Amino acid sequence: MILKMELYSPCDGFTHYRNYRAEILEALVASFFPSQIHTCVIILSVKEKVGACMKTPFISRERLAELTEQFPTPFHLYDEKGIRERARALHEAFAWNAGFKEYFAVKATPNPAILKILKEEGCGVDCASYVELLMSQKLGFTGDEIMFSSNNTPAEEFRLARELGATINLDAYEDVAFLKEMAGIPKVISCRYNPGGVFELGTSIMDHPEEAKFGMTKAQLIQAFKELKELGAEKFGIHALLASNTVSNDYYPALARQLFELAVEVVAETGVELDFINLSGGVGVNYQPDGEENDIAVIGQGVRQAYEDILTPAGLGQIKIFTELGRFMLAPFGLLVTKVTHKKQTYRTYLGVDASAVNLLRPAMYGAYHHITNMDRPEGPTEIVDVVGSLCENNDKFAIQREFPVSQIGDTLVIHDTGAHGFSMGYQYNAKLRSSEILL
């Protein structure tokens, strides 16, 4: 019993193994308990003693009960205090760079109230569409406070970006001629780089840039810079995103080294004035309850070290560092609040809730994990359940075969880390209406 307990994480309901001599322990269990049924019983009994790992909601049970009396569930709930603290921590981590600017990825949480908060905290906006540009303009973002990073971009979007004075980040070499014809070449412009191949950190494969539709090859980027310079561009930027939602303090520093080395080469070959390097997004959050979070202070120092190792000796110590963080800035500071409406027993136990994939698509689309807390019964006996919505789709599930406190109809649940790519990815399948968004 004790040996088998270490093989399973009590947070994940049989889904994640711990590496405590796994092969030896499984062989021992198989020898003593050849019946799979008996083995499962032992695991469950150990789990009941250990209890489940927890994430702590940013709101108390009592305060949430007041809100659910006032507002119908489901609704998205945001923590203004947490958002402001995260923005300040980011700026502190990169204060060593005089020109540092965070351009919040609007697509993550396109909520005017939240964008106003981020503006007050000194952030700009990263837009990817006409409406995102329009919303940013209406909220008072102007000129170089707006980064326009899009792909397969319609002419009218380039024109609006030019009218607003936004910094345009070209996704494709072919966009040089298209932009010239449709909107004209601005004085400041950026190009998005895709190195191809596989992006690795140590022995871990983080992503496959060669499969991404975004960005230019090195040769294309250099040629684009040369042509843009001839067409009147005066200041240039380099942008890249090589991996998404990394939970590693090493991602940004590793990306920075690649881009800084590229910058030295590009400046030497083209003679352009390189004004900024945009590290884009990719710094993520840990959706699991028992993992470590990224430390933005450590990340900032890692980027600084790379800067001082590569750019400063090359005479490029004036280059500004930009970021386009969305998930890191907002995800932990959002909860999807929902209530248990049904409980069904067939071949599995199903907890039916009034939220569905139209409110949070990530689990259905990506199989993504989001931790769930029963605010009325956070502890106590557990059972294995699927937590499901009411859509006419079998992937409308927030949790699959997860160990969860025994719940009753009427219980209030909160689904964690929905502050980014939550409401914004919603849709209207089965004629479901959009939920409310509430700011604490």
Side-chain angles (χ1 to χ4, degrees):
M1 290 171 61
I2 296 174
L3 293 177
K4 192 62 177 179
M5 175 188 66
E6 288 189 323
L7 279 174
Y8 290 95
S9 165
C11 309
D12 301 336
F14 309 136
T15 60
H16 283 69
Y17 290 91
R18 297 194 188 280
N19 295 319
Y20 301 133
R21 305 178 185 86
E23 293 181 1
I24 296 174
L25 292 173
E26 288 199 341
L28 285 171
V29 171
S31 297
F32 285 105
F33 305 105
S35 166
Q36 185 65 32
I37 296 174
H38 292 158
T39 302
C40 289
V41 170
I42 290 166
I43 293 167
L44 286 171
S45 66
V46 169
K47 279 177 169 288
E48 288 171 4
K49 293 178 182 178
V50 172
C53 295
M54 303 286 284
K55 276 181 176 269
T56 303
F58 53 74
I59 186 171
S60 69
R61 175 188 177 187
E62 293 73 23
R63 177 67 178 119
L64 186 57
E66 294 174 0
L67 291 178
T68 56
E69 285 292 325
Q70 186 177 359
F71 302 100
T73 55
F75 58 80
H76 283 269
L77 183 66
Y78 302 100
D79 176 21
E80 179 176 351
K81 179 175 180 288
I83 295 168
R84 291 187 183 276
E85 289 175 349
R86 179 58 57 94
R88 293 169 189 176
L90 173 65
H91 284 106
E92 183 177 351
F94 285 88
W96 54 268
N97 183 261
F100 174 76
K101 186 78 172 179
E102 154 65 6
Y103 291 86
F104 175 72
V106 175
K107 61 180 173 288
T109 317
N111 182 292
I114 288 174
L115 294 180
K116 286 180 181 178
I117 291 170
L118 292 169
K119 189 175 193 302
E120 291 171 2
E121 294 297 334
C123 299
V125 284
D126 163 40
C127 299
S129 71
Y130 190 97
V131 173
E132 289 181 3
L133 285 169
L134 191 62
M135 180 175 10
S136 298
Q137 177 196 28
K138 297 293 185 183
L139 293 172
F141 292 94
T142 59
D144 62 6
E145 293 179 319
I146 305 172
M147 185 72 62
F148 184 54
S149 299
S150 60
N151 67 96
N152 297 310
T153 308
E156 61 268 22
E157 296 189 4
F158 275 138
R159 293 191 192 104
L160 179 57
R162 292 282 282 120
E163 290 173 16
L164 299 181
T167 301
I168 294 174
N169 182 36
L170 291 181
D171 177 71
Y173 166 72
E174 294 80 2
D175 285 344
V176 174
F178 185 71
L179 179 64
K180 175 189 174 185
E181 179 183 355
M182 296 299 172
I185 302 299
K187 298 297 184 183
V188 180
I189 197 161
S190 176
C191 290
R192 183 168 184 169
Y193 173 57
N194 182 333
V198 174
F199 180 66
E200 298 178 336
L201 283 180
T203 59
S204 299
I205 294 176
M206 305 300 291
D207 219 321
H208 297 77
E210 66 183 10
E211 299 175 1
K213 68 173 183 173
F214 308 107
M216 311 178 192
T217 67
K218 182 195 292 187
Q220 288 175 327
L221 184 141
I222 290 173
Q223 184 60 30
F225 273 23
K226 290 177 179 179
E227 293 180 17
L228 288 164
K229 184 179 180 182
E230 291 177 358
L231 292 170
E234 298 176 357
K235 293 184 178 182
F236 293 79
I238 296 175
H239 170 289
L241 173 70
L242 303 188
S244 180
N245 192 40
T246 62
V247 185
S248 168
N249 293 331
D250 297 328
Y251 168 65
Y252 252 9
L255 170 63
R257 286 189 178 275
Q258 282 200 32
L259 295 186
F260 295 167
E261 290 170 356
L262 174 67
V264 173
E265 181 179 349
V266 167
V267 170
E269 187 160 342
T270 65
V272 301
E273 180 183 344
L274 194 62
D275 186 54
F276 63 87
I277 293 174
N278 190 335
L279 302 178
S280 189
V283 177
V285 298
N286 198 327
Y287 289 94
Q288 298 284 343
D290 58 345
E292 293 185 6
E293 296 288 346
N294 282 324
D295 187 331
I296 197 62
V298 173
I299 291 170
Q301 285 304 306
V303 175
R304 180 178 188 173
Q305 186 64 57
Y307 191 101
E308 294 174 351
D309 288 346
I310 300 169
L311 292 181
T312 302
L316 299 174
Q318 81 290 345
I319 289 178
K320 304 166 187 171
I321 300 298
F322 294 163
T323 58
E324 293 175 350
L325 297 171
R327 190 191 318 263
F328 179 78
M329 298 292 286
L330 257 294
F333 311 113
L335 298 169
L336 175 56
V337 182
T338 185
K339 283 187 176 289
V340 178
T341 57
H342 294 81
K343 195 165 185 178
K344 175 180 177 178
Q345 183 72 54
T346 55
Y347 308 105
R348 295 183 175 186
T349 299
Y350 295 93
L351 285 185
V353 296
D354 54 13
S356 64
V358 301
N359 308 111
L360 179 64
L361 181 59
R362 294 186 73 253
M365 176 176 278
Y366 306 123
Y369 180 95
H370 279 265
H371 198 65
I372 306 174
T373 297
N374 185 324
M375 296 295 285
D376 295 311
R377 308 170 204 275
E379 299 177 350
T382 61
E383 59 184 344
I384 304 299
V385 300
D386 286 13
V387 181
V388 301
S390 62
L391 297 185
C392 298
E393 291 289 341
N394 196 43
N395 67 348
D396 181 22
K397 298 179 179 182
F398 296 115
I400 298 174
Q401 292 297 276
R402 185 177 302 181
E403 185 180 19
F404 196 69
V406 175
S407 304
Q408 303 299 327
I409 292 173
D411 286 355
T412 299
L413 312 184
V414 294
I415 304 176
H416 292 258
D417 301 313
T418 62
H421 308 289
F423 184 91
S424 66
M425 293 180 70
Y427 57 108
Q428 266 83 42
Y429 186 60
N430 278 164
K432 296 282 188 178
L433 299 179
R434 288 298 190 102
S435 64
S436 299
E437 295 180 279
I438 299 170
L439 179 66
L440 282 181

